[in-house]
Amino acid sequence: MDTTKKYLRSHPEICVLAADKGNRTVIMMREEYDKMRALVGDTTTYEKVRCDPTSKYQTRNNSIVKRLKDLKLIDQRQAATLIMNNGLCPRIYGQPKAHKQHLPLRPVIPNITAPTYYLAKYIANILQSSFHSQYNATSSFEFCNEINEATLPDDYIMISLDVTSLFTNVPRNLVIKNIIQRWNEIDTQINLDMFLEIVEFCMEASYFCYEGQFYKQTFGTAMGSPMSPIVADIVLDSIIDTAMGSLPFEITIFKKYVDDIFMAIPRNTEQQVLDTFNSVESRLQFTIETEENHKLPFLDMTVIRNPDQSSGTQSR
């Protein structure tokens, strides 16, 4: 271990990073990692700001918390956990997508130091306890167990869909729309107007620093905010519902893990399925992978379609 650390210190051109999925470690050259500059330079998602906005967001965060306390929606003890007095600007970094060619980077903004972190976590807990997706596999272990007991209909094949950069492409207006539509499912004493105000503020306060420059995220939600996974999941479910309702055939096996989707579809309908999913929302686009030789890589395993149409899995 000491030898490895010494070697890496003497070779700053090498980066050692955690992969975005699969508990894997990725070693890459720093010049490859420098594609982060192009990523933060995407003006459709980020914009430069002149100075650190932490103080502004912290003041507004604490004002919202005070209103929640004054309205007796939270008590003094809970208010103390949501107040932030020493917020720091998050610093963005990239996690390599080890299961993709050319190791594209997923932007991660570790929000634990951000002024809105605890307020966003509070709202996320409310949403997570209120919404339960019919499509989700909670882990690769759960997915494996279900697939090992499944049988595809005759002449059906396996495909996977992957959302391109889910968090940064979630339309914020769809987050608000879906919360309004499903408001009766949300278990909270906060009224709808104030709840939406907090959600919008937590999305708006997505910002970070990279190489000394401050940026604000103008579209989507931040990878690293505790609120992002659940609001992205809610929106993605609505996209799936719309797409599935538009297809003229039944999809008998459908499982989702974050932004990876596994499904069984009739043979020769791959392009129709992809086009249908991509037609729902222009910013949320999917890529497709089709089984080859009755095998399909998915998550950290390979799914196998046996001659009798039963399915199984093997480790990769």
Side-chain angles (χ1 to χ4, degrees):
M1 180 66 73
D2 289 341
T3 302
T4 302
K5 289 180 178 178
K6 183 178 179 180
Y7 179 84
L8 291 174
R9 279 195 299 267
S10 64
H11 290 80
E13 72 277 11
I14 297 175
C15 293
V16 180
L17 304 161
D20 74 319
K21 292 176 185 174
N23 294 321
R24 287 180 282 183
T25 299
V26 175
I27 299 175
M28 64 193 305
M29 302 305 292
R30 186 163 296 279
E31 62 186 24
E32 284 188 89
Y33 184 78
D34 284 346
K35 54 192 162 190
M36 276 295 296
R37 293 195 183 98
L39 193 151
V40 301
D42 175 10
T43 55
T44 65
T45 304
Y46 309 110
E47 68 177 16
K48 293 181 180 180
V49 293
R50 291 183 178 180
C51 58
D52 186 349
T54 299
S55 178
K56 176 182 72 173
Y57 291 139
Q58 184 165 281
T59 298
R60 188 173 172 194
N61 178 88
N62 294 349
S63 175
I64 289 174
V65 174
K66 183 178 184 301
R67 284 166 56 201
L68 289 171
K69 182 173 70 71
D70 291 345
L71 290 169
K72 301 190 185 305
L73 297 170
I74 58 175
D75 57 27
Q76 178 64 44
R77 182 177 179 180
Q78 195 166 31
T81 66
L82 302 181
I83 289 285
M84 177 67 82
N85 293 314
N86 56 351
L88 295 172
C89 179
R91 296 183 178 274
I92 194 172
Y93 66 91
Q95 278 192 322
K97 300 181 183 183
H99 58 298
K100 300 288 184 182
Q101 284 189 337
H102 311 301
L103 292 177
L105 298 175
R106 183 191 298 276
V108 180
I109 306 172
N111 272 248
I112 194 166
T113 65
T116 59
Y117 178 80
Y118 295 105
L119 183 61
K121 188 174 182 179
Y122 172 69
I123 293 297
N125 288 337
I126 292 173
L127 292 173
Q128 285 169 345
S129 65
S130 302
F131 290 107
H132 305 283
S133 172
Q134 63 177 312
Y135 305 119
N136 283 359
T138 58
S139 66
S140 57
F141 179 76
E142 178 187 307
F143 172 81
C144 181
N145 284 341
E146 292 194 24
I147 291 301
N148 284 333
E149 297 177 357
T151 300
L152 282 66
D154 290 340
D155 211 30
Y156 270 55
I157 62 168
M158 306 178 300
I159 68 164
S160 65
L161 296 181
D162 182 27
V163 186
T164 303
S165 302
L166 173 60
F167 285 9
T168 54
N169 284 301
V170 169
R172 294 176 182 177
N173 65 304
L174 284 188
V175 174
I176 300 304
K177 178 182 178 181
N178 277 276
I179 289 174
I180 293 172
Q181 288 178 339
R182 302 179 65 173
W183 180 244
N184 63 338
E185 302 174 37
I186 299 177
D187 183 16
T188 179
Q189 295 182 347
I190 305 172
N191 67 43
L192 176 60
D193 288 343
M194 189 171 189
F195 195 87
L196 293 178
E197 177 190 344
I198 298 172
V199 170
E200 287 180 317
F201 168 57
C202 289
M203 290 191 292
E204 173 195 330
S206 297
Y207 74 111
F208 58 89
C209 180
Y210 185 71
E211 295 186 333
Q213 172 66 54
F214 297 102
Y215 295 83
K216 178 180 178 181
Q217 186 168 333
T218 58
F219 198 97
T221 61
M223 177 77 176
S225 167
M227 196 179 74
S228 292
I230 181 60
V231 297
D233 201 40
I234 291 169
V235 169
L236 188 51
D237 267 23
S238 73
I239 300 292
I240 292 168
D241 288 340
T242 301
M244 297 260 279
S246 301
L247 292 170
F249 46 79
E250 184 180 6
I251 297 179
T252 56
I253 302 174
F254 190 104
K255 279 295 171 184
K256 170 166 64 74
Y257 183 76
V258 190
D259 56 356
D260 291 315
I261 296 170
F262 174 93
M263 66 176 85
I265 63 172
R267 189 180 303 275
N268 300 322
T269 64
E270 298 95 319
Q271 193 61 48
Q272 182 180 6
V273 169
L274 180 62
D275 291 345
T276 299
F277 273 77
N278 282 339
S279 68
V280 179
E281 171 54 51
S282 61
R283 280 287 299 239
L284 280 173
Q285 295 294 288
F286 298 77
T287 58
I288 189 170
E289 188 168 358
T290 306
E291 66 170 76
E292 291 187 9
N293 298 320
H294 312 294
K295 296 182 179 181
L296 178 70
F298 190 74
L299 303 180
D300 54 356
M301 68 193 76
T302 298
V303 186
I304 302 167
R305 179 171 59 85
N306 298 310
D308 64 355
Q309 289 292 95
S310 65
S311 58
T313 59
Q314 64 182 28
S315 300
R316 282 197 284 161

